[in-house]
Amino acid sequence: MTLPRRSFLSRSVAAGAAFGGLAALHGRLAARDVPVRLRAPGYGPLMPAGDELALPEGFQYRALGIQGDMMADGVPTPAQHDGMAAFPLPNGNVRLVRNHEITNRRLFGPESTAYDPQAGGGTTSLEVHPETRELLDDFVSLNGTITNCAGGPTPWGTWMSCEEHCYGRAEGWNADHGYVFDVHAGDKRSERARPLVAMGRFKHEAVAVDPTTGIIYETEDFNPTSGFYRFLPANRADLHDGGRLEMMAIGGQPGYDTRRGQTVGARLPVTWVPIHDPDPAGAGADHTLVFAQGWNAGGAVFTRLEGCWWGDGAVYFDATNGGEARLGQIWRYRPDRDELDLVFESPGAEVLKSPDNLCWSPRGGLVVCEDPTGPAFMRGITTDGRIFDFAQNIIDETEFAGATFSPDGHTLFVNIQGGRNRPGITFAIWGPWERGSL
């Protein structure tokens, strides 16, 4: 089922409304084969809430920021909507900074601000009214980067956008890639991009910042070997001043393998090993050069680390194909204890399949976006390791990405990435959050 792009504009409909061809979906959505020990009450069964999403009863949504629509700066909205975060603006509105996971060589936005004029990725920024959820402004905020997959918000009001590929001059690009870029949420238009080289050159996915120490945690999206890193900045006020990059290790067990054979709830003592060369020559041809330094020093190995978010004094991150079923793990690192524990591991595709972006709810709990082969869901996970369905993409199998709550906690913004037959879309979702753990 493919809808014209314009049919998505400014749509806001109440959950539970039945639309043509979707009524039969309700029965399939209501029954989920989740083991009782893993099942959380959530918000109830999913029902078609419009043409695009199924949500629990009482929830509504609005579509905005749609691929191809002309933005306020005269640039068409780019494709491949991905990681995203929400920030408060001085005027009371909400600023969204949104990644575009594009690897091609077609630049969007002005060449004067591009990091690499041959590169087609970057970010766009949106201004949204907090009550009506209407789009008020949108523009290019970072361009000339590649494969901007995820990232993370910082306590100092920026979005750290991460490149997932390390191609560079040796591969025919105008600049080296595989870095993190800081995008100031309050800026009105884009500024010339500068990479944070000391944070490493590898297949970045997401970051999370400890607001107390300023330490930045980073995930690496590589299969089958990924590292979990931390960056200790020399100057929190200016990350371009450099710092130390380190990789997680498990105390007393060098080369610890987290990918299989793990126990939910078991606590693992954490140490950190140094990365002496965070920006290795040749990373464009061999994306594992940073990981190899940490591994050779005794670092722990994960697989395909993706989403990463700070919440409740801890860093939550996921391994998309980790676990015995190879369907996903949710990990938690507590810096105050230097402990790592496995919060959740998927036992089957009907429970959780390929977790990708995630975010922390202001009410305590995780929103997890799936990047599956097959039907795509957003799931809720409680901190005691129970799961429930919160949303389903009912048009096609395009992944959810970029879940983030508004500063007041009343709106969940999330993207449908888009693909061959469907545009990328940003959704605003709201409803009776008090009924559950999100």
PDB file of all heavy atoms in Angstrom, residues 159-180:
ATOM      1  N   TRP A 159      23.300  18.642  19.309  1.00  0.00           N
ATOM      2  CA  TRP A 159      23.058  17.300  18.810  1.00  0.00           C
ATOM      3  C   TRP A 159      24.370  16.810  18.216  1.00  0.00           C
ATOM      4  O   TRP A 159      24.941  17.464  17.328  1.00  0.00           O
ATOM      5  CB  TRP A 159      21.964  17.304  17.753  1.00  0.00           C
ATOM      6  CG  TRP A 159      21.880  16.061  16.921  1.00  0.00           C
ATOM      7  CD1 TRP A 159      22.228  15.925  15.605  1.00  0.00           C
ATOM      8  CD2 TRP A 159      21.372  14.772  17.319  1.00  0.00           C
ATOM      9  NE1 TRP A 159      21.982  14.648  15.163  1.00  0.00           N
ATOM     10  CE2 TRP A 159      21.457  13.912  16.200  1.00  0.00           C
ATOM     11  CE3 TRP A 159      20.877  14.261  18.518  1.00  0.00           C
ATOM     12  CZ2 TRP A 159      21.062  12.577  16.235  1.00  0.00           C
ATOM     13  CZ3 TRP A 159      20.465  12.934  18.559  1.00  0.00           C
ATOM     14  CH2 TRP A 159      20.562  12.112  17.432  1.00  0.00           C
ATOM     15  N   MET A 160      24.866  15.679  18.704  1.00  0.00           N
ATOM     16  CA  MET A 160      26.085  15.096  18.169  1.00  0.00           C
ATOM     17  C   MET A 160      25.689  14.095  17.088  1.00  0.00           C
ATOM     18  O   MET A 160      25.116  13.041  17.377  1.00  0.00           O
ATOM     19  CB  MET A 160      26.895  14.429  19.285  1.00  0.00           C
ATOM     20  CG  MET A 160      27.187  15.366  20.429  1.00  0.00           C
ATOM     21  SD  MET A 160      28.484  14.775  21.547  1.00  0.00           S
ATOM     22  CE  MET A 160      29.920  15.348  20.643  1.00  0.00           C
ATOM     23  N   SER A 161      25.974  14.443  15.852  1.00  0.00           N
ATOM     24  CA  SER A 161      25.594  13.629  14.700  1.00  0.00           C
ATOM     25  C   SER A 161      26.764  12.757  14.280  1.00  0.00           C
ATOM     26  O   SER A 161      27.888  13.244  14.103  1.00  0.00           O
ATOM     27  CB  SER A 161      25.171  14.539  13.542  1.00  0.00           C
ATOM     28  OG  SER A 161      24.711  13.775  12.445  1.00  0.00           O
ATOM     29  N   CYS A 162      26.511  11.465  14.120  1.00  0.00           N
ATOM     30  CA  CYS A 162      27.584  10.484  13.902  1.00  0.00           C
ATOM     31  C   CYS A 162      27.555   9.916  12.484  1.00  0.00           C
ATOM     32  O   CYS A 162      26.500   9.508  11.994  1.00  0.00           O
ATOM     33  CB  CYS A 162      27.441   9.326  14.890  1.00  0.00           C
ATOM     34  SG  CYS A 162      27.584   9.805  16.618  1.00  0.00           S
ATOM     35  N   GLU A 163      28.720   9.852  11.869  1.00  0.00           N
ATOM     36  CA  GLU A 163      28.863   9.214  10.562  1.00  0.00           C
ATOM     37  C   GLU A 163      29.118   7.717  10.743  1.00  0.00           C
ATOM     38  O   GLU A 163      29.966   7.319  11.546  1.00  0.00           O
ATOM     39  CB  GLU A 163      30.027   9.817   9.780  1.00  0.00           C
ATOM     40  CG  GLU A 163      29.820  11.273   9.381  1.00  0.00           C
ATOM     41  CD  GLU A 163      30.958  11.782   8.529  1.00  0.00           C
ATOM     42  OE1 GLU A 163      32.126  11.693   8.983  1.00  0.00           O
ATOM     43  OE2 GLU A 163      30.707  12.275   7.426  1.00  0.00           O
ATOM     44  N   GLU A 164      28.419   6.910   9.965  1.00  0.00           N
ATOM     45  CA  GLU A 164      28.527   5.457  10.102  1.00  0.00           C
ATOM     46  C   GLU A 164      29.495   4.830   9.104  1.00  0.00           C
ATOM     47  O   GLU A 164      29.717   3.617   9.155  1.00  0.00           O
ATOM     48  CB  GLU A 164      27.147   4.813   9.969  1.00  0.00           C
ATOM     49  CG  GLU A 164      27.091   3.391  10.483  1.00  0.00           C
ATOM     50  CD  GLU A 164      25.744   2.732  10.268  1.00  0.00           C
ATOM     51  OE1 GLU A 164      24.768   3.438   9.962  1.00  0.00           O
ATOM     52  OE2 GLU A 164      25.679   1.505  10.405  1.00  0.00           O
ATOM     53  N   HIS A 165      30.057   5.616   8.217  1.00  0.00           N
ATOM     54  CA  HIS A 165      31.064   5.090   7.299  1.00  0.00           C
ATOM     55  C   HIS A 165      32.332   5.927   7.387  1.00  0.00           C
ATOM     56  O   HIS A 165      32.283   7.116   7.696  1.00  0.00           O
ATOM     57  CB  HIS A 165      30.548   5.067   5.860  1.00  0.00           C
ATOM     58  CG  HIS A 165      29.630   3.922   5.577  1.00  0.00           C
ATOM     59  ND1 HIS A 165      30.002   2.606   5.741  1.00  0.00           N
ATOM     60  CD2 HIS A 165      28.346   3.893   5.141  1.00  0.00           C
ATOM     61  CE1 HIS A 165      29.001   1.814   5.428  1.00  0.00           C
ATOM     62  NE2 HIS A 165      27.970   2.566   5.066  1.00  0.00           N
ATOM     63  N   CYS A 166      33.451   5.285   7.083  1.00  0.00           N
ATOM     64  CA  CYS A 166      34.767   5.911   7.251  1.00  0.00           C
ATOM     65  C   CYS A 166      35.458   6.202   5.933  1.00  0.00           C
ATOM     66  O   CYS A 166      36.687   6.370   5.899  1.00  0.00           O
ATOM     67  CB  CYS A 166      35.675   5.011   8.098  1.00  0.00           C
ATOM     68  SG  CYS A 166      35.004   4.535   9.682  1.00  0.00           S
ATOM     69  N   TYR A 167      34.724   6.236   4.837  1.00  0.00           N
ATOM     70  CA  TYR A 167      35.354   6.514   3.552  1.00  0.00           C
ATOM     71  C   TYR A 167      36.056   7.873   3.599  1.00  0.00           C
ATOM     72  O   TYR A 167      35.697   8.753   4.378  1.00  0.00           O
ATOM     73  CB  TYR A 167      34.309   6.507   2.438  1.00  0.00           C
ATOM     74  CG  TYR A 167      33.491   5.244   2.383  1.00  0.00           C
ATOM     75  CD1 TYR A 167      32.098   5.301   2.362  1.00  0.00           C
ATOM     76  CD2 TYR A 167      34.101   3.990   2.368  1.00  0.00           C
ATOM     77  CE1 TYR A 167      31.332   4.147   2.322  1.00  0.00           C
ATOM     78  CE2 TYR A 167      33.346   2.839   2.324  1.00  0.00           C
ATOM     79  CZ  TYR A 167      31.965   2.916   2.299  1.00  0.00           C
ATOM     80  OH  TYR A 167      31.215   1.780   2.265  1.00  0.00           O
ATOM     81  N   GLY A 168      37.064   8.040   2.738  1.00  0.00           N
ATOM     82  CA  GLY A 168      37.801   9.290   2.776  1.00  0.00           C
ATOM     83  C   GLY A 168      38.486   9.614   1.482  1.00  0.00           C
ATOM     84  O   GLY A 168      38.102   9.119   0.414  1.00  0.00           O
ATOM     85  N   ARG A 169      39.520  10.410   1.576  1.00  0.00           N
ATOM     86  CA  ARG A 169      40.233  10.865   0.377  1.00  0.00           C
ATOM     87  C   ARG A 169      40.796   9.690  -0.415  1.00  0.00           C
ATOM     88  O   ARG A 169      40.815   9.719  -1.648  1.00  0.00           O
ATOM     89  CB  ARG A 169      41.344  11.828   0.787  1.00  0.00           C
ATOM     90  CG  ARG A 169      40.827  13.157   1.349  1.00  0.00           C
ATOM     91  CD  ARG A 169      41.982  14.083   1.759  1.00  0.00           C
ATOM     92  NE  ARG A 169      41.501  15.377   2.230  1.00  0.00           N
ATOM     93  CZ  ARG A 169      41.146  15.631   3.484  1.00  0.00           C
ATOM     94  NH1 ARG A 169      41.235  14.660   4.401  1.00  0.00           N
ATOM     95  NH2 ARG A 169      40.725  16.828   3.837  1.00  0.00           N
ATOM     96  N   ALA A 170      41.251   8.677   0.276  1.00  0.00           N
ATOM     97  CA  ALA A 170      41.814   7.515  -0.418  1.00  0.00           C
ATOM     98  C   ALA A 170      40.770   6.786  -1.246  1.00  0.00           C
ATOM     99  O   ALA A 170      41.111   6.066  -2.191  1.00  0.00           O
ATOM    100  CB  ALA A 170      42.437   6.546   0.592  1.00  0.00           C
ATOM    101  N   GLU A 171      39.493   6.967  -0.895  1.00  0.00           N
ATOM    102  CA  GLU A 171      38.397   6.328  -1.636  1.00  0.00           C
ATOM    103  C   GLU A 171      37.709   7.300  -2.600  1.00  0.00           C
ATOM    104  O   GLU A 171      36.647   7.012  -3.128  1.00  0.00           O
ATOM    105  CB  GLU A 171      37.363   5.768  -0.663  1.00  0.00           C
ATOM    106  CG  GLU A 171      37.842   4.562   0.151  1.00  0.00           C
ATOM    107  CD  GLU A 171      38.843   4.938   1.226  1.00  0.00           C
ATOM    108  OE1 GLU A 171      38.622   5.976   1.906  1.00  0.00           O
ATOM    109  OE2 GLU A 171      39.842   4.200   1.391  1.00  0.00           O
ATOM    110  N   GLY A 172      38.312   8.486  -2.818  1.00  0.00           N
ATOM    111  CA  GLY A 172      37.794   9.416  -3.809  1.00  0.00           C
ATOM    112  C   GLY A 172      36.877  10.502  -3.276  1.00  0.00           C
ATOM    113  O   GLY A 172      36.299  11.259  -4.066  1.00  0.00           O
ATOM    114  N   TRP A 173      36.748  10.644  -1.944  1.00  0.00           N
ATOM    115  CA  TRP A 173      35.955  11.722  -1.379  1.00  0.00           C
ATOM    116  C   TRP A 173      36.840  12.954  -1.180  1.00  0.00           C
ATOM    117  O   TRP A 173      38.069  12.856  -1.199  1.00  0.00           O
ATOM    118  CB  TRP A 173      35.338  11.289  -0.056  1.00  0.00           C
ATOM    119  CG  TRP A 173      34.397  10.121  -0.206  1.00  0.00           C
ATOM    120  CD1 TRP A 173      34.745   8.803  -0.305  1.00  0.00           C
ATOM    121  CD2 TRP A 173      32.976  10.159  -0.301  1.00  0.00           C
ATOM    122  NE1 TRP A 173      33.630   8.016  -0.457  1.00  0.00           N
ATOM    123  CE2 TRP A 173      32.519   8.825  -0.447  1.00  0.00           C
ATOM    124  CE3 TRP A 173      32.031  11.182  -0.252  1.00  0.00           C
ATOM    125  CZ2 TRP A 173      31.178   8.497  -0.562  1.00  0.00           C
ATOM    126  CZ3 TRP A 173      30.671  10.864  -0.369  1.00  0.00           C
ATOM    127  CH2 TRP A 173      30.261   9.537  -0.521  1.00  0.00           C
ATOM    128  N   ASN A 174      36.231  14.090  -0.952  1.00  0.00           N
ATOM    129  CA  ASN A 174      36.993  15.325  -0.763  1.00  0.00           C
ATOM    130  C   ASN A 174      37.513  15.496   0.658  1.00  0.00           C
ATOM    131  O   ASN A 174      38.287  16.408   0.927  1.00  0.00           O
ATOM    132  CB  ASN A 174      36.132  16.550  -1.124  1.00  0.00           C
ATOM    133  CG  ASN A 174      36.084  16.785  -2.623  1.00  0.00           C
ATOM    134  OD1 ASN A 174      36.522  15.947  -3.401  1.00  0.00           O
ATOM    135  ND2 ASN A 174      35.531  17.914  -3.026  1.00  0.00           N
ATOM    136  N   ALA A 175      37.026  14.676   1.582  1.00  0.00           N
ATOM    137  CA  ALA A 175      37.459  14.741   2.979  1.00  0.00           C
ATOM    138  C   ALA A 175      37.331  13.353   3.580  1.00  0.00           C
ATOM    139  O   ALA A 175      36.617  12.492   3.047  1.00  0.00           O
ATOM    140  CB  ALA A 175      36.613  15.754   3.758  1.00  0.00           C
ATOM    141  N   ASP A 176      38.020  13.138   4.682  1.00  0.00           N
ATOM    142  CA  ASP A 176      37.886  11.875   5.406  1.00  0.00           C
ATOM    143  C   ASP A 176      36.600  11.888   6.235  1.00  0.00           C
ATOM    144  O   ASP A 176      36.184  12.933   6.763  1.00  0.00           O
ATOM    145  CB  ASP A 176      39.083  11.649   6.320  1.00  0.00           C
ATOM    146  CG  ASP A 176      40.359  11.370   5.544  1.00  0.00           C
ATOM    147  OD1 ASP A 176      40.270  10.894   4.390  1.00  0.00           O
ATOM    148  OD2 ASP A 176      41.453  11.640   6.089  1.00  0.00           O
ATOM    149  N   HIS A 177      35.990  10.705   6.375  1.00  0.00           N
ATOM    150  CA  HIS A 177      34.729  10.575   7.104  1.00  0.00           C
ATOM    151  C   HIS A 177      34.856   9.507   8.190  1.00  0.00           C
ATOM    152  O   HIS A 177      35.861   8.833   8.309  1.00  0.00           O
ATOM    153  CB  HIS A 177      33.599  10.238   6.133  1.00  0.00           C
ATOM    154  CG  HIS A 177      33.304  11.326   5.148  1.00  0.00           C
ATOM    155  ND1 HIS A 177      32.442  12.358   5.424  1.00  0.00           N
ATOM    156  CD2 HIS A 177      33.780  11.565   3.891  1.00  0.00           C
ATOM    157  CE1 HIS A 177      32.397  13.184   4.386  1.00  0.00           C
ATOM    158  NE2 HIS A 177      33.202  12.720   3.437  1.00  0.00           N
ATOM    159  N   GLY A 178      33.775   9.382   8.983  1.00  0.00           N
ATOM    160  CA  GLY A 178      33.763   8.446  10.098  1.00  0.00           C
ATOM    161  C   GLY A 178      33.850   9.153  11.435  1.00  0.00           C
ATOM    162  O   GLY A 178      34.277   8.560  12.430  1.00  0.00           O
ATOM    163  N   TYR A 179      33.387  10.417  11.483  1.00  0.00           N
ATOM    164  CA  TYR A 179      33.562  11.247  12.666  1.00  0.00           C
ATOM    165  C   TYR A 179      32.222  11.614  13.312  1.00  0.00           C
ATOM    166  O   TYR A 179      31.144  11.319  12.800  1.00  0.00           O
ATOM    167  CB  TYR A 179      34.303  12.531  12.290  1.00  0.00           C
ATOM    168  CG  TYR A 179      35.682  12.308  11.720  1.00  0.00           C
ATOM    169  CD1 TYR A 179      35.978  12.656  10.409  1.00  0.00           C
ATOM    170  CD2 TYR A 179      36.700  11.769  12.505  1.00  0.00           C
ATOM    171  CE1 TYR A 179      37.255  12.472   9.872  1.00  0.00           C
ATOM    172  CE2 TYR A 179      37.980  11.577  11.986  1.00  0.00           C
ATOM    173  CZ  TYR A 179      38.248  11.932  10.670  1.00  0.00           C
ATOM    174  OH  TYR A 179      39.512  11.743  10.160  1.00  0.00           O
ATOM    175  N   VAL A 180      32.338  12.331  14.442  1.00  0.00           N
ATOM    176  CA  VAL A 180      31.200  12.927  15.127  1.00  0.00           C
ATOM    177  C   VAL A 180      31.233  14.431  14.884  1.00  0.00           C
ATOM    178  O   VAL A 180      32.313  15.047  14.888  1.00  0.00           O
ATOM    179  CB  VAL A 180      31.251  12.632  16.642  1.00  0.00           C
ATOM    180  CG1 VAL A 180      30.075  13.298  17.362  1.00  0.00           C
ATOM    181  CG2 VAL A 180      31.250  11.133  16.897  1.00  0.00           C
TER     182      VAL A 180
END
